[in-house]
Amino acid sequence: MKKFLIAALMCACVLGMTSTAKAVVLAPGGVAAITNSAPALLGTHVIVGYNQSVVYDSITASITQDVYLNSTGYLFLYRITRSGEPTTNNSVHRFTTTDFTGFATDADAYQSVVGDDLPHFMDRSGTGNTIGFSFENLSSGDLGLAPNTNSAILWIQTNTQYLTMGTGNFINGGVKAVPLYAPGVVPEPATLSLLGLGILGLFGFRRRKV
Amino acid sequence: MRNKGLILLLLCGLLILGFSGAAQAAILMNFDPTAFTPDTATGSHSHTYTTALGNVTFNGRIWNEINGSPVADHTTGTTSGYFLKNTTDAKKVTMNFSFDVSSFSLYWLGLSGVTMNGATYDAAGNVLGTGTSTGNKTWVFQSDGPYTSPIRSIAFWTSGGNNMAIDDLLINPVVPEPTSLSLLGLGLLGLFGFKGNKNLKKKGVKKI
């Protein structure tokens, strides 16, 4: 019986470990520096080159999104591109995306092409819902993602197993919202009954031990 | 004997856990000619789309215009976008899944001022959820689910039989959760535990 319990505990440990890991953990309320690490493009490429044009506040940009499903969950990638604009156009200060409440996330930005603009930092709201990448740095006089430049690849690895349509927001004084793919809500109808069975299971062991 | 049973169960548990690691990806149906054949003839058409999860059988017309005019695809911005349109004969777009669906999202295109209706059903045909949207000649995003029982079919139509279309349907399969499965494993072990007890009692063996 002891041996068995040890085996069960080991199983639980393995389970616990599969849900941790990765580059920069972005917890609710957290702010983190960008480390320029590349995302691991493994698993199924579910959304391929989904594109949205972003026209607002003297900005003509577009955002491309790719989504992969790997063994951890869905991985979201974003790249903002700007071309053919007058250099007098405004810079993009900040990009945020929502629907991450309740999910573990690792995030970073990766300069896949030399010269692509890396954000200065990334952050996550207190509820965990919103994840933001800030291109603006007032102390160094950087106004953000300038006309005719592209952003680094912004990426967020989640443990969600579901995908839905959410929004991305371009924040520049005004806010421009565009539809982007985001984590979906987790349905848990059967979990409680299973928990009941599990508790019964523990009782079963207890009684045998006496 | 009892120990053998336990080891077997443990192995089964590990197997289940192994499978649960490989969640199945959502399916995106964009109705574009790269994966779907446009319906050049008018009227309703029945299609079967084979996916890694099973079949999606749907009725409607895969086409690129509404009331004679091409419509800009919301994703590409070009006027060559294809979508699934309702037809004057059937008036509805319907879709049946051979597998359990947790939730879905889609884009809905309607004519200005036209009210569009949608509904989701379980395997027995019971209504799980309904929704409406008013068309304004632009894509309107809609999301549905999850419900306590899985979705097996969906339908979209307009109140007056006007034209409308859906596009970029993203379908999430029901994914078993690893935590739930470990609880199930514990539960099964529990049942064995009880069984073991009874056997001991019957044989009059003193518990160790």
Side-chain angles (χ1 to χ4, degrees), chain A residues 2-184:
Chain A
K2 247 187 192 171
K3 266 185 195 165
F4 167 71
L5 279 176
I6 289 164
L9 273 173
M10 276 169 73
C11 273
C13 279
V14 170
L15 249 186
M17 277 195 305
T18 54
S19 59
T20 61
K22 276 18 82 27
V24 184
V25 177
L26 195 55
V31 180
I34 303 293
T35 68
N36 197 10
S37 66
L41 303 180
L42 304 171
T44 314
H45 198 172
V46 181
I47 304 292
V48 184
Y50 173 80
N51 193 71
Q52 285 287 322
S53 67
V54 185
V55 182
Y56 79 112
D57 190 33
S58 134
I59 288 169
T60 306
S62 72
I63 183 162
T64 307
Q65 187 182 32
D66 282 79
V67 181
Y68 288 80
L69 177 67
N70 53 41
S71 58
T72 309
Y74 280 102
L75 165 68
F76 299 87
L77 303 128
Y78 316 82
R79 188 163 183 248
I80 305 161
T81 53
R82 304 187 66 179
S83 62
E85 286 177 272
T87 50
T88 49
N89 273 9
N90 284 339
S91 295
V92 174
H93 292 176
R94 187 172 153 80
F95 167 74
T96 66
T97 178
T98 56
D99 296 325
F100 292 89
T101 305
F103 296 112
T105 64
D106 299 302
D108 207 354
Y110 173 62
Q111 217 171 19
S112 63
V113 179
V114 177
D116 280 357
D117 196 352
L118 278 171
H120 286 281
F121 65 88
M122 56 189 177
D123 54 24
R124 192 169 177 194
S125 64
T127 58
N129 189 50
T130 307
I131 289 176
F133 293 89
S134 283
F135 292 93
E136 180 189 45
N137 186 355
L138 291 176
S139 58
S140 73
D142 184 351
L143 294 176
L145 184 67
N148 307 312
T149 53
N150 301 325
S151 80
I153 294 169
L154 316 174
W155 62 269
I156 305 167
Q157 171 73 59
T158 68
N159 61 347
T160 180
Q161 308 284 303
Y162 296 90
L163 199 57
T164 191
M165 184 55 81
T167 50
N169 297 296
F170 287 78
I171 298 162
N172 204 56
V175 177
K176 171 73 177 176
V178 295
L180 290 174
Y181 290 99

Side-chain angles (χ1 to χ4, degrees), chain A residues 4 7 11 46 50-52 69 74 161-165 179 181 187-189 191 194-195 197-198 201 207-210, chain B residues 2 14 23-26 28 74-75 102 107 141 143 146 170 172-173 175 177 180 184 186-187 189-190 193-194 197 208:
Chain A
F4 167 71
C11 273
V46 181
Y50 173 80
N51 193 71
Q52 285 287 322
L69 177 67
Y74 280 102
Q161 308 284 303
Y162 296 90
L163 199 57
T164 191
M165 184 55 81
Y181 290 99
E188 284 184 282
T191 308
L194 291 175
L195 181 66
L197 259 178
R207 284 184 52 186
R208 285 177 62 188
K209 242 181 142 181
V210 176
Chain B
R2 228 170 59 216
L14 281 172
Q24 281 181 297
L28 183 69
H74 80 278
T75 306
S102 155
Y107 276 87
F141 160 67
S143 190
L170 182 78
N172 285 297
V175 180
E177 282 174 78
S180 306
L184 181 67
L186 258 179
L189 286 174
F194 277 122
N197 260 343
I208 304 152

Side-chain angles (χ1 to χ4, degrees), chain B residues 40 73 84:
Chain B
T40 45
D73 189 285
L84 185 67

